[in-house]
Amino acid sequence: MQSEGPSVLLVEPFYGGSHKQLIDLLQQNITGCSVFTLPAKKWHWRARTAALHFSQTVPTCPSYRVLFSSSVLNLCELVALRPDLARLKKVLYFHENQLVYPVRKDQERDFQYGYNQVLSCLVSDVVVFNSVFNMDSFLSSISSFMKKIPDHRPKDLDLLIRPKCVVLYYPVQFPDVRSGESPSLGDQQEDPHESSSEPRTDQRPVSEGDTGDQMKPLHIVWPHRWEHDKNPELFFSTLMKLKEKQVDFHLSVLGETFTDVPDIFSEARPQLDPHIQNWGFLSRDQYLQVLLQADVVVSTARHEFFGVAVLEAVHCGCYPLCPKALVYPEIFPAEYLYSTPEQLCKRLQTLCRRPDVARRHVVKVDTSSFSWTTLKERFETLLSAECP
């Protein structure tokens, strides 16, 4: 019996990071997928030109029923260049949106990127966001964004787009760390998406006799991309203040680096050297080991639409400290949020003086609700041929 052709066309113009992880996850777990990607380089050029590239490289296939892409793709251009793809159920996934993406000065915001995302929404059948914050910030910004057009401005575009919108959290592949032992990634590779995904709950309880662990300095981890939108300046200035107060701590600065690394990293490293345990990008195994050893995970982001890194750290037992803004109030209770740099410094200072408080604490976040095991059925429904 001859097998049917692929029914789901997965297109990713920026195949790296969380974009790659999602495409790989869908390809491995959803039957009948065909994948076309471009390497995660030169983001601006991918956003401008990927549609033309895919119009020439994606073959005509009568069995396709669904087209899934991230919002980096100008979907409007692709379906105009390829009318055969226009008939498919078109699903657009927003990892981030360009209408509120932070820039140093608003004049630097390239109108075309946000405009392309709006156009892509208009031709999509389903528009999926990875958080309520991502969806609401995008929809509420369309009207003011369109006012940048000198005249003959389109109206009420948000009213056309909103009925197509759904929120479907990014499916995180959590390691199994239930008992606090090293995560068994070798076992995971056999079936990486069917683990229990239960968070660490032992929290390394400190007994009265265990003074060694009680005296060990608080281990602070910063597991983010080394870019300005993650606001490393605030993070390092806070640590400098702790150092001035002669507060002891251990530090791990992880995350990916790109071409333009903010100067603050090279400036801060020699000043914080006595505190540093880990510095720079690590393999997945090493990364998870550090998260299991750390006590507190800090975000100072000016931009975050979901926050995989913080959730992974929390899953591994870290106490989170995040801004009371962006997506964080949607995921974390108020006790883990700070409103000002002064509050962040004070919270860290308190935990540095009582590290056992962080080590005893069980974080009030059910990370399993963000796991592939929990979200798989919704993604299967999304990629079925029926429109919602």
Side-chain angles (χ1 to χ4, degrees):
M1 179 176 164
Q2 189 176 10
S3 62
E4 296 181 5
S7 60
V8 179
L9 173 60
L10 303 177
V11 177
E12 180 49 67
F14 199 75
Y15 186 60
S18 60
H19 292 232
K20 178 183 186 299
Q21 291 168 24
L22 180 57
I23 292 295
D24 291 349
L25 193 57
L26 296 177
Q27 183 181 22
Q28 293 162 17
N29 288 272
I30 305 293
T31 56
C33 288
S34 181
V35 179
F36 292 85
T37 66
L38 281 168
K41 298 177 181 177
K42 303 184 186 301
W43 179 91
H44 297 90
W45 284 105
R46 296 290 186 254
R48 292 181 184 119
T49 65
L52 181 57
H53 168 81
F54 289 124
S55 75
Q56 297 183 330
T57 56
V58 174
T60 301
C61 182
S63 63
Y64 287 149
R65 295 291 179 267
V66 180
L67 189 163
F68 176 96
S69 175
S70 75
S71 61
V72 176
L73 179 71
N74 187 329
L75 186 58
C76 192
E77 287 182 350
L78 180 59
V79 298
L81 291 164
R82 287 286 302 273
D84 59 306
L85 301 180
R87 65 176 176 78
L88 307 182
K89 174 185 175 181
K90 297 170 290 298
V91 179
L92 191 70
Y93 192 89
F94 275 75
H95 293 267
E96 60 278 313
N97 80 72
Q98 292 300 311
L99 301 194
V100 294
Y101 202 93
V103 291
R104 300 289 187 85
K105 299 176 182 177
D106 196 56
Q107 302 93 284
E108 295 177 6
R109 189 184 303 279
D110 190 316
F111 180 82
Q112 196 65 38
Y113 302 127
Y115 184 70
N116 288 351
Q117 288 189 328
V118 173
L119 291 180
S120 293
C121 289
L122 291 171
V123 300
S124 297
D125 297 299
V126 188
V127 181
V128 186
F129 293 87
N130 61 358
S131 66
V132 174
F133 167 72
N134 195 359
M135 180 180 72
D136 287 348
S137 63
F138 180 79
L139 292 172
S140 63
S141 299
I142 292 175
S143 179
S144 59
F145 183 78
M146 289 297 167
K147 287 179 181 176
K148 298 177 186 293
I149 301 174
D151 55 11
H152 302 287
R153 303 181 185 106
K155 295 179 180 178
D156 300 329
L157 297 180
D158 56 316
L159 300 181
L160 296 173
I161 295 170
R162 187 177 291 274
K164 307 178 183 186
C165 294
V166 296
V167 173
L168 184 49
Y169 287 122
Y170 181 89
V172 185
Q173 296 171 252
F174 293 114
D176 187 350
V177 293
R178 283 172 293 178
S179 58
E181 71 273 11
S182 299
S184 178
L185 297 182
D187 293 341
Q188 274 198 328
Q189 287 169 359
E190 294 177 15
D191 193 356
H193 314 306
E194 294 301 330
S195 68
S196 67
S197 300
E198 291 184 19
R200 178 175 181 168
T201 55
D202 69 310
Q203 297 310 111
R204 298 152 289 184
V206 183
S207 66
E208 287 184 19
D210 191 10
T211 55
D213 193 45
Q214 218 164 350
M215 297 299 291
K216 195 163 41 173
L218 187 80
H219 188 166
I220 301 167
V221 64
W222 195 84
H224 311 284
R225 283 184 287 104
W226 292 21
E227 293 190 311
H228 286 292
D229 63 295
K230 300 303 181 185
N231 201 1
E233 293 82 4
L234 172 58
F235 178 68
F236 287 120
S237 68
T238 302
L239 296 185
M240 296 298 185
K241 289 174 184 172
L242 294 179
K243 184 182 176 184
E244 289 169 9
K245 295 174 186 288
Q246 298 185 321
V247 175
D248 198 12
F249 57 89
H250 286 163
L251 172 64
S252 289
V253 178
L254 312 179
E256 287 186 273
T257 59
F258 295 90
T259 307
D260 300 316
V261 175
D263 293 338
I264 187 64
F265 287 92
S266 59
E267 294 167 2
R269 184 172 186 176
Q271 298 181 62
L272 294 170
D273 188 65
H275 302 274
I276 293 172
Q277 301 287 297
N278 300 277
W279 187 272
F281 185 77
L282 299 175
S283 70
R284 181 68 176 169
D285 286 4
Q286 293 170 321
Y287 175 76
L288 291 171
Q289 289 291 342
V290 173
L291 295 187
L292 284 166
Q293 295 161 8
D295 300 308
V296 175
V297 59
V298 176
S299 170
T300 47
R302 284 190 288 251
H303 143 251
E304 192 59 79
F305 295 106
F306 183 66
V308 172
V310 175
L311 275 172
E312 284 183 332
V314 168
H315 186 82
C316 290
C318 291
Y319 185 105
L321 286 175
C322 304
K324 191 177 181 179
L326 309 171
V327 72
Y328 295 114
E330 185 177 336
I331 295 175
F332 297 104
E335 66 186 281
Y336 307 116
L337 307 177
Y338 63 88
S339 299
T340 65
E342 292 75 22
Q343 282 185 10
L344 172 61
C345 187
K346 187 175 181 181
R347 295 286 299 278
L348 278 175
Q349 184 176 332
T350 300
L351 290 172
C352 283
R353 288 179 171 154
R354 286 291 308 277
D356 57 302
V357 172
R359 290 168 189 154
R360 291 175 187 270
H361 185 81
V362 176
V363 178
K364 301 177 181 68
V365 175
D366 180 11
T367 56
S368 67
S369 60
F370 304 101
S371 71
W372 171 251
T373 306
T374 301
L375 298 170
K376 179 180 179 180
E377 189 175 324
R378 289 195 61 196
F379 274 96
E380 288 175 337
T381 301
L382 181 70
L383 296 179
S384 67
E386 295 79 20
C387 286

